[in-house]
Structure formats: structure tokens, C-alpha cells
Amino acid sequence: MNMIVGSMLGNPLGGGLDSLTGGNEGEGEKTETGEDPEVVAARLEQEERRKDKHRKMEQEREKMRQGIRDKYNIQKKDESGGMGGFDMADGRIGAARKKTPEELAAEMHAEDDSLVGQLGLTEHVEKAKTAVNGAFEMVKGFLPFGK
């Protein structure tokens, strides 16, 4: 009879299941994240061992690199960014460096030193370029492949 009443209340074993599986034990031993402190400590210990292992591997690699440098008389590159005159733009070696507005203005003035600039035809050349580009855009609008 007790079993029937227990099953009607939603607990088929009358509360015996929780005590058999240890369901309510250790409720106060959880951390804020809901994990067992022993699990957290084991995870931290494993992480430390992994970091130590990688540190040792990197030391061994550096010893091997140094042996190669010594054998072939290769100088170690500076960590300070001295890449032998290469600019490192966006973290890439040999990437094209973007010009500043000042550099662009200086380049425009340098073009004035060209033959066109020396003859004073710079304004006329710019007007001609604008006219040609306008005509090209107009023709491109009429052609079916330019749309």
C-alpha cells in the first residue's frame, strides 16, 4: 500500500532512490560554478602540467635552434622587431605599407617635378583625365557588357 501511495505522489520508491544514488549528498560542497572542488583542483593541476610540458619542449627546441645557429654561424634575430629593413604591416612580413596622407601629398608634389609639372601642364592633364573618364563612363553605360 505504501508503494502505491508513493507512486501516486510522484515518487515511485518512496524517497529511497535519492538515498541509494547519493543524490542529496555533497550539495554544500559545490563551487559557484556548480562543480566539485576536487574536479576544479584536478583540472588546474592538469593545466599546470600541460604548461610545464610545453615550456620544457620549447626549451629543447631553442637548444636545437641554437645548435644549428652555432653550426652554420647564423645570427639570432632580435625580438625587438629588427627585421632587416622589412616593415611589418598588419603582422605580415613584406606586406605593402599604407601611405600616410602626408606621404601622399609629398608624392603629389614630387609629380610636379616631372616633365608635365615643369611645363606647368599639371592642371590641363588633370582636366583631360577627368574628361576621358567621364566619356568612358558614358560609353560604358550604353554598352551591354558595361552594366
Side-chain angles (χ1 to χ4, degrees):
M1 178 83 171
N2 191 15
M3 188 71 123
I4 296 172
V5 173
S7 65
M8 289 175 66
L9 295 175
N11 191 352
L13 297 177
L17 184 61
D18 287 339
S19 63
L20 288 175
T21 59
N24 291 334
E25 294 177 16
E27 287 285 329
E29 296 178 14
K30 303 269 182 182
T31 62
E32 297 130 10
T33 60
E35 294 184 274
D36 189 14
E38 291 176 4
V39 172
V40 172
R43 186 176 297 127
L44 291 174
E45 181 182 338
Q46 179 190 17
E47 183 70 19
E48 279 300 314
R49 280 187 280 166
R50 186 187 67 79
K51 286 180 181 179
D52 189 42
K53 174 184 163 190
H54 285 281
R55 214 173 300 127
K56 287 178 183 177
M57 287 174 57
E58 187 57 34
Q59 287 174 350
E60 291 175 10
R61 289 182 185 133
E62 185 56 36
K63 284 180 187 177
M64 188 178 299
R65 289 182 199 117
Q66 188 59 45
I68 292 170
R69 282 188 217 108
D70 292 342
K71 182 177 178 181
Y72 295 105
N73 265 348
I74 299 172
Q75 296 291 325
K76 184 175 181 179
K77 293 182 181 177
D78 292 335
E79 297 287 326
S80 62
M83 292 296 295
F86 292 111
D87 289 331
M88 290 193 56
D90 300 329
R92 296 179 289 164
I93 297 175
R97 188 175 63 86
K98 294 180 181 174
K99 295 180 181 178
T100 63
E102 293 82 22
E103 290 174 333
L104 290 173
E107 193 173 285
M108 289 296 288
H109 292 299
E111 288 178 5
D112 289 342
D113 294 337
S114 68
L115 182 62
V116 173
Q118 289 174 0
L119 293 175
L121 300 174
T122 307
E123 288 183 33
H124 299 293
V125 170
E126 290 300 319
K127 286 180 183 177
K129 283 182 185 178
T130 306
V132 168
N133 283 336
F136 176 72
E137 290 298 321
M138 186 176 67
V139 169
K140 192 168 104 174
F142 288 118
L143 299 176
F145 58 83
K147 293 182 181 180

